[in-house]
Amino acid sequence: MNIVLLGAPGAGKGTQAEKLVDKYALCHISTGDILRQAVKDQTPLGIEAKGYMDSGNLVPDELIIGLMKERMQQPDTEKGVMLDGFPRTTAQAVALDAMLSDLGRPLNAALLVDVPFEVIIGRLTSRRQCRACGKIGSVADAACPNCGGEMYQRDDDNEETVRNRLDVYANQTAPLIDYYKGQDKLVTVDGNRTPDVVFEDVVAKLGIA
Ligand code: AMP
């Protein structure tokens, strides 16, 4: 099973991805996580990506498409992928179709986690992430509920950057909703509910109970 997760930043894509990956043993690929690791390691990719990420803009398509072409060749993707944060532009979606077709694998669904923008602004500015294991939590978590690690606020989760990220989403990524509707692959869930309730709906709608 190969799935693309769509939705605004903070819609809960990462949380649903973790649940799907646990239940169905898929390979979770988050381009945001790959880029944050590259920034931390100060690789050439990280150095180039950092400015775009800090301002809430998208990293150029060529960089992301090159990175994903390489990542999709890794053997762990054979069991099926859960793509979280990719594609983010129509050019990336077209490139993904070509990659999957070259690999002879189908895209089963594009899952849209739908949440109103006002709810997202509140969620993102109170979001915290574990420095050690990447677990997503909130300002209410003094330490990571998973491993006890230090929780921190991502550089791009301040209100000004969040608003820019939402604009970028509306202009560049939301058109993918129609793109996947046109391929008859779009599955929409209401993401403005608790993560477990959203997940039940995801499983039912993907028909993979
Ligand atoms: P995320 O964790 O998915 O919200 O991604 C954090 C940041 O990484 C985004 O705001 C972009 O700057 C960059 N990024 C992640 N995925 C992509 C992508 N597919 N295309 C372009 N930029 C990306």
Side-chain angles (χ1 to χ4, degrees), residues 19-168:
K19 288 178 179 289
L20 277 162
V21 163
D22 278 356
K23 194 165 164 134
Y24 300 104
L26 299 171
C27 172
H28 181 187
I29 303 179
S30 156
T31 41
D33 284 350
I34 294 173
L35 291 170
R36 277 184 289 281
Q37 189 61 46
V39 170
K40 201 167 156 190
D41 296 343
Q42 299 198 327
T43 66
L45 169 71
I47 291 165
E48 188 157 1
K50 186 173 176 9
Y52 297 102
M53 295 172 76
D54 284 350
S55 57
N57 292 315
L58 294 184
V59 173
D61 282 337
E62 318 80 78
L63 275 183
I64 294 288
I65 291 170
L67 173 114
M68 283 302 293
K69 267 191 189 152
E70 242 173 66
R71 184 64 187 87
M72 289 295 290
Q73 305 284 342
Q74 305 298 311
D76 61 344
T77 62
E78 282 167 19
K79 60 189 177 187
V81 289
M82 160 63 49
L83 300 180
D84 170 5
F86 177 88
R88 275 239 209 349
T89 63
T90 305
Q92 293 180 17
V94 170
L96 174 64
D97 283 346
M99 282 176 222
L100 288 170
S101 151
D102 286 349
L103 291 163
R105 299 180 202 157
L107 178 69
N108 301 83
L111 177 67
L112 170 65
V113 183
D114 199 21
V115 178
F117 276 17
E118 318 80 76
V119 175
I120 287 199
I121 291 172
R123 272 192 193 182
L124 283 184
T125 50
S126 63
R127 177 164 78 173
R128 299 293 181 271
Q129 189 164 12
C130 175
R131 232 181 249 292
C133 74
K135 171 97 186 154
I136 297 155
S138 83
V139 67
D141 297 313
C144 174
N146 190 34
C147 74
E150 182 200 348
M151 301 297 279
Y152 80 108
Q153 182 174 38
R154 279 171 43 173
D155 291 343
D156 57 355
D157 275 349
N158 63 77
E159 184 159 349
E160 190 191 335
T161 309
V162 163
R163 286 192 187 277
N164 187 39
R165 287 163 69 202
L166 289 175
D167 280 349
V168 167

